[in-house]
Amino acid sequence: MGFFDDKQDFLEETFAKYPPEGRRSAIMPLLRRVQQEEGWIRPERIEEIAQLVGTTATEVMGVASFYSYYQFVPTGKYHLQVCSTLSCKLAGADELWDYLTETLGIGPGEVTPDGLFSVQKVECLGSCHTAPVVQVNDEPYVECVTRARLEALLEGLKAGKRLEEIQLPGKCGHHVHEVEV
């Protein structure tokens, strides 16, 4: 049974957004649905999406592999993505990465034995002003990450807390002030 066999309503709704000759435009929403529900994208899902949109598996994989969001190996319950571009590097992301991988005892593409964590370095998460930045799954960013904030994050996640329930020490340091005009 294919992933989308029981999702005909979703397919119809998705394909209705594009002209019949533009079904390939649905690659991203189909990939996202698989990623959200299965946590990673298996080769057979790439094939299935290619058949659904009328293209090749190579083209679907070309789209999917461009984005760090899509995973091609199983991930932990909490997939920690550490921004590795210049602003985050200058703010200490490499040291955080080293601490994270040493503490968890895993590297990219691996999952902790308890199934809780996986890690990945990613390209710019778009929050340079609050570097370094970590993203957990598809949640809002954890910004201004220090070792203490990362330790608190890991402890909170291990305790089963939702991201918004975890108390992180220190302040982010970025404040937006409203100015009356």
Side-chain angles (χ1 to χ4, degrees):
M1 180 170 150
F3 176 82
F4 292 100
D5 289 352
D6 63 347
K7 296 171 182 59
Q8 293 306 307
D9 290 345
F10 169 76
L11 289 175
E12 288 174 22
E13 187 177 304
T14 300
F15 289 139
K17 296 175 183 174
Y18 307 104
E21 68 276 3
R23 282 179 76 111
R24 289 180 19 228
S25 298
I27 290 173
M28 295 282 289
L30 298 182
L31 286 167
R32 184 169 177 85
R33 182 71 180 257
V34 171
Q35 178 73 37
Q36 286 176 324
E37 290 192 24
E38 295 192 336
W40 66 294
I41 302 185
R42 306 163 195 267
E44 57 267 24
R45 301 299 180 238
I46 296 287
E47 292 284 345
E48 184 178 358
I49 291 169
Q51 290 175 2
L52 287 167
V53 301
T55 190
T56 64
T58 302
E59 184 175 6
V60 174
M61 189 62 182
V63 171
S65 63
F66 181 80
Y67 299 95
S68 61
Y69 173 78
Y70 301 115
Q71 304 303 311
F72 304 102
V73 294
T75 59
K77 178 178 181 180
Y78 304 110
H79 185 62
L80 304 173
Q81 302 157 82
V82 179
C83 180
S84 65
T85 46
L86 185 60
S87 294
C88 286
K89 277 184 180 289
L90 293 174
D94 287 341
E95 292 80 10
L96 291 173
W97 174 260
D98 292 342
Y99 172 77
L100 184 62
T101 56
E102 288 170 18
T103 299
L104 296 175
I106 58 171
E110 299 174 335
V111 178
T112 56
D114 59 9
L116 283 180
F117 297 102
S118 56
V119 296
Q120 177 184 15
K121 279 188 177 182
V122 295
E123 289 304 313
C124 188
L125 289 171
S127 191
C128 300
H129 62 294
T130 60
V133 179
V134 173
Q135 186 172 25
V136 180
N137 300 335
D138 199 18
E139 298 292 325
Y141 304 145
V142 179
E143 300 171 312
C144 305
V145 179
T146 61
R147 185 174 173 155
R149 288 171 72 85
L150 186 56
E151 288 171 350
L153 175 67
L154 291 175
E155 288 307 311
L157 294 173
K158 285 178 187 174
K161 293 183 177 179
R162 293 182 321 211
L163 198 56
E164 61 270 11
E165 297 172 333
I166 300 171
Q167 296 294 314
L168 300 176
K171 297 195 183 249
C172 189
H174 174 71
H175 302 281
V176 177
H177 301 282
E178 291 184 19
V179 178
E180 291 186 34
V181 182

